[in-house]
Structures are given as C-alpha cells and as structure tokens.
Amino acid sequence: MPPISLLRAKDDAAKYGLDPEVLLKLKEKAMGARGVAYCPYSSFRVGCALLTADGDGTIITGANVECASTPVGICAERCALGKAKTEGYDKFAALAVATDISPPASPCGMCRQFIREFCDLNMPIFMYDKDGSCVVRTLEELLPMSFGPDDLKRGEVREEL
Amino acid sequence: MPPISLLRAKDDAAKYGLDPEVLLKLKEKAMGARGVAYCPYSSFRVGCALLTADGDGTIITGANVECASTPVGICAERCALGKAKTEGYDKFAALAVATDISPPASPCGMCRQFIREFCDLNMPIFMYDKDGSCVVRTLEELLPMSFGPDDLKRGEVREEL
Amino acid sequence: MPPISLLRAKDDAAKYGLDPEVLLKLKEKAMGARGVAYCPYSSFRVGCALLTADGDGTIITGANVECASTPVGICAERCALGKAKTEGYDKFAALAVATDISPPASPCGMCRQFIREFCDLNMPIFMYDKDGSCVVRTLEELLPMSFGPDDLKRGEVREEL
Amino acid sequence: MPPISLLRAKDDAAKYGLDPEVLLKLKEKAMGARGVAYCPYSSFRVGCALLTADGDGTIITGANVECASTPVGICAERCALGKAKTEGYDKFAALAVATDISPPASPCGMCRQFIREFCDLNMPIFMYDKDGSCVVRTLEELLPMSFGPDDLKRGEVREEL
Ligand SMILES: [Zn+2]
Ligand SMILES: [Zn+2]
Ligand SMILES: [Zn+2]
Ligand SMILES: [Zn+2]
C-alpha cells in the first residue's frame, strides 16, 4: 500500500489533472528549495517550485532572497517565476510553496499578482507546511477579481477616445 | 426623492455600517484623487480615499506615483495608507479606489497585502469605475487565506524550539 | 553666541542656498518623524522631512511603514515624496533623513531612485545620526550616472526608427 | 591583429583583474539576454549577465520581467542575482547590463542596492549600449555611502543599550 502522502497526492493530482508522481516531485523540490533561502532579516525561509508546461515538465525552483533595505528583496515565488520566464518557459501547470510553519503560509499578495501575470486563473497553488501537509487553492481563489494585463489595455482604449 | 447614487450609497453603507453621506464623500474624494496621479509611464490614473476610524472620520487620499524604474513606483492605495499611518491614524473603516476604466479596477495584490497589514479583514473596499459605478468587496474577499503579521510570529515560535 | 548646531546649520545652509533656521526646522522634523515609523519587523526607525519649494516652504514628513511581506513595505523617503506629490507639491529644495544609528544611514538605492524622479540632481540630502550629527551629499553624489525619466524617452526614439 | 572589441576588453579586463575572453563572453551573454526580456509595458529591454567567482566562472543571466501592476515587476539585475543566489552561488566577479539605447543605461537604484547586498564594493559593473559600446564603474562608484547589511546590525547594538 502506498504511503499516505502519495494517496493524498493522488487525490490532489487527479483534481487538477496532474500526475501524482510529478506532484510529489514538485512538493519535494519546493520543500528542498527552502534550503537555499537567503533570509537573514526575517529568518523566514520560503521555497518555491514551478511546474512548467511547455515541454517535458521541467521544474524550476526559487527561494526568498532578502536585502538590508527590505522592500528591495524578492520572494520565493517571484524568484522562481523570473527565473522560469528568462529561461524560456511560458506555460505553467502548478506552483508549490513551502515554509517552516503550520498551517502552511500562502503566497503574499505581491506574489499572487506576479503569478497572475503568467499563469491561468485555474492553475493550482500547493502550500506545504513544515511537515509537508498541504492546502491547495487555484490562483483565482487566492486573487479574486484580479487586475491583470487586459485591464491596462482597457485603459489604452480610453486614451484614444 | 434622492439621486440614484445616494440610494445606492444607502444600501452599500447600510451593509457595512457606514453613513451614506460619508460614503458619498469617500467616493468623491477617491474619484477626485485621480487628478493628482503622477503616471507618465502607464497613463493609468488611480485615486484612493481612506476613511479613518480613530476619531472624527477624517478621509486621507492618495494616488499612484510612478517612477522611470517602474518597480520603484507607489500605487494609490499604498500612498494613502503610508500617509495615514505616518499622520497618526491606526484604525480604518473603509477604502475606496477609482480608475478611468469600466468595470472598475481592483487593488493589485501588492496593495491588498499592504491593506491587510493595517485593516480588518471585513473592512469594505469600494471600487469605482470611470462613471462612478461601484463594486464592493471586503478585504478578506479580495485576499483570502492571507499571510499577515501573525504568521511571522508563528515563525518566531519555531525558532525558539 | 549661537549654539553649535545653528553654527553648523549656517555653514550647510549657506553651501546649498538654504536659510539656516529652515534647515534646523527640517532637521527637527526629520528626527521627530522617526516617532511615527511603523517598523515591527526591522525595529529600524527612519524619519524623513522634505522641504518643498513651490511656495511658502512647507515641510512634508514621512517615516518607514513596513509590512509582514517585507518587499511590500515603504521607506520613509518614498512615503514623504508620495505624500508631497499627491498633495500638489512639485518642487523640492532639500531632503533630510534621520535614523537611530551613528554615523548616519543614507537613503537606500530604491529611495535614491525615487528621489531622482522628482528632484534636481544638485538637491542636498541631509543625513542625521542618532544625536543629530549630520552628513550631507547632493542627490547626484548619492546616485551618480543615474537612470531617469529621460532615459525611457531615449528608448521611445529607438522604437520609432 | 585582434578586433577592436577585444582590445578594449583587454584594457577593461586588465583594470579589474578579469580574463578578456571571459569579459567578452559576459558582454555577449548580457546583450543576448535582452532577447528574453518580458517588457510589454515599458518596451524597454534589459539583459544582465553575472560572472560567478565560486568555482568555474559560470555566467548567470537575467532580464527584466514586468507586471501589469508595475511595482511588482523585477529588473534584469535582480532577476539574475536572485537566480544565482538560489542556485548556490555566493561570490561574484563582475556584472554586465545591456539595453537598446546609447549611451548605455545604468542599473536603477533599487538594483544597485540589491547588488550591494551580495557583491564587493569594488566589483566592476559593465554597461553596454545598443551597439556594444561600454561604460564601466565599480559598485561603490554607482552607490556611494551605501546602506548595507552591517548598518542593520548597528541598529541591533543600539537596541541592546
Ligand atoms: Zn511574496
Ligand atoms: Zn497596487
Ligand atoms: Zn529606501
Ligand atoms: Zn533595477
């Protein structure tokens, strides 16, 4: 009989059309990415893993990279997405974040907005707590009524009137 | 018979425990604040008005203030909240944003997170379109499962273990 | 005989074409503004005072306003400038920042860039330490070879070719 | 006789203790990285290349990745550094940025601050214009009197008094 986590991953994966083995790999990568966080100011490690959907399902990871001037720092999710976009990936199937607290932390609003720029509203976001327990929500559930690329275009139409 | 806008304001105000005259004033201030936006890069004006609840119901306004290095700019909501906090206000009853598009734009995720730092999750956020038509949601509806001040404290507990 | 601080202020003021009494007032306001800082995450208070030059020499203040998601926070300088711009001020004669350390801290790079957007390169920036001792530099000295509004316009020219 | 660019690279490289062939490679990578910029809002492409000094001199690249809510976007330099740090690199020998204008654009203040977090003050920053012509400055020359990790520690000392 498979371990509990695989059973749970099967349910989650099925719900969002993912392969359970891939989802477990994504979780592992997000939890592992906490290890490369640079967070001397907050001591709050965040790891992120992003499942690309362009080709062979490459997983891109990131972690929070802070700065003495704290507003200059980069969260784990924006780190991973910036990396993925500049490495040529344009389609994403799932995002996972992992922290050292329980229940799990969710992406901050700034990151939800950045994810919104590149991912479908129905893309699942898996949030893992310190022990690997998971809560999952779609991007739309985390950022309802979002402001996105199309809204700026609506502004341009106004300019032309 | 009162004008339509007052009728609608009465409903919205009643729902969130606000005075309808105050809500109309808040709307007027948010729409007016678009006029002081500094947005040469996006041409997308945003006005914000914040109803304080510390004392006499002062309304603090703000607008987007952009920068040639675009990540350095400040959105209208963060402008208004930064102003209010450093002028001594700590309690807020409602926030209103106004843009020049329709349907109305919502606060970006970064601003939802900043609002989250200072306001109750059930505080109403009124979003006005170019003609003053309104959509309203609570902060919690716009930023569900949010990460806030208490979550960092949870991290500290972990450190002590 | 005037107190030491006024003597020093006289020298600094003369060098930058300011009134020494006004400069002392600016210093006082910057040091006082530390008191309204919201900095539960860094415990690093910063106060800022901005001398406007549009009319009667109004001084606008600001302080750092942090956020649990640290990149979302606003530094004191950007707080003060956002406030000033949206209250209708467009010309600035001097900026002062005050912290609780010695020697005094300088504005972070992000804030230097934001100041660059609105102020002359030869505007003086006064940096006060915990005891009110001062170091002063022009904006250009703090952000040499800066990237500003005109550089984006250069990009537009390229687009038209 | 070697081409002009190599001659120039030899001088620059010698001045900063770099191998001229490596410097040319760094330039090429920075200019090439402009091609992966995501900048639909500014149409201002920036490429960045970072020469690591931990081991075999790997070059990490990045580009600007913008967002409809413009303050949420990431500049090329922060993209490259976030990537490098989370891929395990801790020492950097040089950074190069390339844009499509001339004379070349410099890193914005926000990025200078982020570079300051991870690099020596005497690290050279090479700025390439649209044709590959170069201006070079050290980090300290671009961000004099900078605020860094040590300044926050100074604040902590104060707390203990
Ligand atoms: Zn974030
Ligand atoms: Zn915003
Ligand atoms: Zn700053
Ligand atoms: Zn930058």
PDB file of all heavy atoms in Angstrom, chain A residues 74-78 106-112, chain B residues 113, chain C residues 69 71-72, ligand 1:
ATOM      1  N   ILE A  74      13.339  39.899  -2.798  1.00  0.00           N
ATOM      2  CA  ILE A  74      12.495  39.126  -3.719  1.00  0.00           C
ATOM      3  C   ILE A  74      11.950  37.896  -3.009  1.00  0.00           C
ATOM      4  O   ILE A  74      12.695  37.138  -2.405  1.00  0.00           O
ATOM      5  CB  ILE A  74      13.320  38.658  -4.943  1.00  0.00           C
ATOM      6  CG1 ILE A  74      13.917  39.865  -5.689  1.00  0.00           C
ATOM      7  CG2 ILE A  74      12.459  37.850  -5.894  1.00  0.00           C
ATOM      8  CD1 ILE A  74      14.799  39.458  -6.865  1.00  0.00           C
ATOM      9  N   CYS A  75      10.632  37.686  -3.106  1.00  0.00           N
ATOM     10  CA  CYS A  75      10.016  36.500  -2.524  1.00  0.00           C
ATOM     11  C   CYS A  75      10.339  35.270  -3.379  1.00  0.00           C
ATOM     12  O   CYS A  75      10.709  35.383  -4.548  1.00  0.00           O
ATOM     13  CB  CYS A  75       8.503  36.644  -2.460  1.00  0.00           C
ATOM     14  SG  CYS A  75       7.897  38.003  -1.456  1.00  0.00           S
ATOM     15  N   ALA A  76      10.152  34.106  -2.805  1.00  0.00           N
ATOM     16  CA  ALA A  76      10.457  32.840  -3.475  1.00  0.00           C
ATOM     17  C   ALA A  76       9.681  32.656  -4.779  1.00  0.00           C
ATOM     18  O   ALA A  76      10.226  32.211  -5.791  1.00  0.00           O
ATOM     19  CB  ALA A  76      10.136  31.677  -2.537  1.00  0.00           C
ATOM     20  N   GLU A  77       8.408  33.041  -4.765  1.00  0.00           N
ATOM     21  CA  GLU A  77       7.569  32.827  -5.939  1.00  0.00           C
ATOM     22  C   GLU A  77       8.017  33.705  -7.111  1.00  0.00           C
ATOM     23  O   GLU A  77       8.054  33.263  -8.260  1.00  0.00           O
ATOM     24  CB  GLU A  77       6.102  33.139  -5.613  1.00  0.00           C
ATOM     25  CG  GLU A  77       5.503  32.270  -4.516  1.00  0.00           C
ATOM     26  CD  GLU A  77       5.671  32.899  -3.124  1.00  0.00           C
ATOM     27  OE1 GLU A  77       6.717  33.545  -2.882  1.00  0.00           O
ATOM     28  OE2 GLU A  77       4.753  32.750  -2.303  1.00  0.00           O
ATOM     29  N   ARG A  78       8.357  34.958  -6.811  1.00  0.00           N
ATOM     30  CA  ARG A  78       8.809  35.844  -7.893  1.00  0.00           C
ATOM     31  C   ARG A  78      10.190  35.443  -8.385  1.00  0.00           C
ATOM     32  O   ARG A  78      10.505  35.574  -9.565  1.00  0.00           O
ATOM     33  CB  ARG A  78       8.776  37.300  -7.426  1.00  0.00           C
ATOM     34  CG  ARG A  78       7.330  37.826  -7.343  1.00  0.00           C
ATOM     35  CD  ARG A  78       7.273  39.260  -6.859  1.00  0.00           C
ATOM     36  NE  ARG A  78       7.621  39.356  -5.463  1.00  0.00           N
ATOM     37  CZ  ARG A  78       8.500  40.205  -4.941  1.00  0.00           C
ATOM     38  NH1 ARG A  78       9.114  41.067  -5.726  1.00  0.00           N
ATOM     39  NH2 ARG A  78       8.737  40.212  -3.648  1.00  0.00           N
ATOM     40  N   SER A 106       0.573  31.108   2.810  1.00  0.00           N
ATOM     41  CA  SER A 106       0.173  31.299   1.418  1.00  0.00           C
ATOM     42  C   SER A 106       1.082  32.344   0.784  1.00  0.00           C
ATOM     43  O   SER A 106       1.747  33.103   1.481  1.00  0.00           O
ATOM     44  CB  SER A 106      -1.273  31.774   1.383  1.00  0.00           C
ATOM     45  OG  SER A 106      -1.371  33.015   2.070  1.00  0.00           O
ATOM     46  N   PRO A 107       1.119  32.417  -0.561  1.00  0.00           N
ATOM     47  CA  PRO A 107       1.893  33.484  -1.212  1.00  0.00           C
ATOM     48  C   PRO A 107       1.357  34.855  -0.796  1.00  0.00           C
ATOM     49  O   PRO A 107       0.147  35.019  -0.606  1.00  0.00           O
ATOM     50  CB  PRO A 107       1.630  33.241  -2.705  1.00  0.00           C
ATOM     51  CG  PRO A 107       1.259  31.797  -2.820  1.00  0.00           C
ATOM     52  CD  PRO A 107       0.514  31.496  -1.550  1.00  0.00           C
ATOM     53  N   CYS A 108       2.250  35.824  -0.646  1.00  0.00           N
ATOM     54  CA  CYS A 108       1.805  37.186  -0.316  1.00  0.00           C
ATOM     55  C   CYS A 108       1.073  37.782  -1.518  1.00  0.00           C
ATOM     56  O   CYS A 108       1.146  37.258  -2.637  1.00  0.00           O
ATOM     57  CB  CYS A 108       2.996  38.058   0.097  1.00  0.00           C
ATOM     58  SG  CYS A 108       3.917  38.795  -1.273  1.00  0.00           S
ATOM     59  N   GLY A 109       0.372  38.877  -1.300  1.00  0.00           N
ATOM     60  CA  GLY A 109      -0.404  39.494  -2.369  1.00  0.00           C
ATOM     61  C   GLY A 109       0.442  39.921  -3.556  1.00  0.00           C
ATOM     62  O   GLY A 109       0.027  39.820  -4.708  1.00  0.00           O
ATOM     63  N   MET A 110       1.648  40.412  -3.260  1.00  0.00           N
ATOM     64  CA  MET A 110       2.536  40.852  -4.343  1.00  0.00           C
ATOM     65  C   MET A 110       2.854  39.678  -5.263  1.00  0.00           C
ATOM     66  O   MET A 110       2.836  39.817  -6.483  1.00  0.00           O
ATOM     67  CB  MET A 110       3.819  41.423  -3.719  1.00  0.00           C
ATOM     68  CG  MET A 110       4.739  42.109  -4.704  1.00  0.00           C
ATOM     69  SD  MET A 110       6.200  42.743  -3.807  1.00  0.00           S
ATOM     70  CE  MET A 110       6.992  43.704  -5.110  1.00  0.00           C
ATOM     71  N   CYS A 111       3.128  38.525  -4.680  1.00  0.00           N
ATOM     72  CA  CYS A 111       3.437  37.347  -5.487  1.00  0.00           C
ATOM     73  C   CYS A 111       2.201  36.812  -6.213  1.00  0.00           C
ATOM     74  O   CYS A 111       2.290  36.351  -7.342  1.00  0.00           O
ATOM     75  CB  CYS A 111       4.060  36.267  -4.612  1.00  0.00           C
ATOM     76  SG  CYS A 111       5.733  36.719  -4.106  1.00  0.00           S
ATOM     77  N   ARG A 112       1.053  36.870  -5.552  1.00  0.00           N
ATOM     78  CA  ARG A 112      -0.169  36.433  -6.239  1.00  0.00           C
ATOM     79  C   ARG A 112      -0.349  37.258  -7.523  1.00  0.00           C
ATOM     80  O   ARG A 112      -0.756  36.753  -8.559  1.00  0.00           O
ATOM     81  CB  ARG A 112      -1.388  36.611  -5.327  1.00  0.00           C
ATOM     82  CG  ARG A 112      -1.349  35.718  -4.094  1.00  0.00           C
ATOM     83  CD  ARG A 112      -2.561  35.903  -3.186  1.00  0.00           C
ATOM     84  NE  ARG A 112      -2.334  35.262  -1.883  1.00  0.00           N
ATOM     85  CZ  ARG A 112      -3.259  35.051  -0.963  1.00  0.00           C
ATOM     86  NH1 ARG A 112      -4.513  35.433  -1.179  1.00  0.00           N
ATOM     87  NH2 ARG A 112      -2.959  34.469   0.182  1.00  0.00           N
TER      88      ARG A 112
ATOM     89  N   GLN B 113      -2.077  43.261   0.021  1.00  0.00           N
ATOM     90  CA  GLN B 113      -1.227  42.809   1.128  1.00  0.00           C
ATOM     91  C   GLN B 113      -0.914  43.957   2.093  1.00  0.00           C
ATOM     92  O   GLN B 113      -0.868  43.763   3.310  1.00  0.00           O
ATOM     93  CB  GLN B 113       0.091  42.251   0.556  1.00  0.00           C
ATOM     94  CG  GLN B 113       1.000  41.630   1.592  1.00  0.00           C
ATOM     95  CD  GLN B 113       0.485  40.296   2.106  1.00  0.00           C
ATOM     96  OE1 GLN B 113       0.099  39.437   1.331  1.00  0.00           O
ATOM     97  NE2 GLN B 113       0.464  40.136   3.416  1.00  0.00           N
TER      98      GLN B 113
ATOM     99  N   SER C  69       4.924  40.994   4.647  1.00  0.00           N
ATOM    100  CA  SER C  69       5.620  40.616   3.425  1.00  0.00           C
ATOM    101  C   SER C  69       6.557  41.789   3.157  1.00  0.00           C
ATOM    102  O   SER C  69       6.157  42.815   2.612  1.00  0.00           O
ATOM    103  CB  SER C  69       4.650  40.433   2.262  1.00  0.00           C
ATOM    104  OG  SER C  69       5.388  40.268   1.062  1.00  0.00           O
ATOM    105  N   PRO C  71       8.912  42.945   1.168  1.00  0.00           N
ATOM    106  CA  PRO C  71       9.091  43.758  -0.046  1.00  0.00           C
ATOM    107  C   PRO C  71       7.932  44.728  -0.309  1.00  0.00           C
ATOM    108  O   PRO C  71       8.058  45.620  -1.145  1.00  0.00           O
ATOM    109  CB  PRO C  71       9.180  42.703  -1.158  1.00  0.00           C
ATOM    110  CG  PRO C  71       9.630  41.454  -0.478  1.00  0.00           C
ATOM    111  CD  PRO C  71       8.970  41.498   0.872  1.00  0.00           C
ATOM    112  N   VAL C  72       6.839  44.550   0.382  1.00  0.00           N
ATOM    113  CA  VAL C  72       5.664  45.399   0.170  1.00  0.00           C
ATOM    114  C   VAL C  72       5.772  46.715   0.956  1.00  0.00           C
ATOM    115  O   VAL C  72       5.083  47.693   0.672  1.00  0.00           O
ATOM    116  CB  VAL C  72       4.391  44.611   0.559  1.00  0.00           C
ATOM    117  CG1 VAL C  72       3.150  45.466   0.516  1.00  0.00           C
ATOM    118  CG2 VAL C  72       4.224  43.398  -0.366  1.00  0.00           C
TER     119      VAL C  72
HETATM  120 ZN    ZN E   1       5.651  37.330  -1.904  1.00  0.00          ZN
END
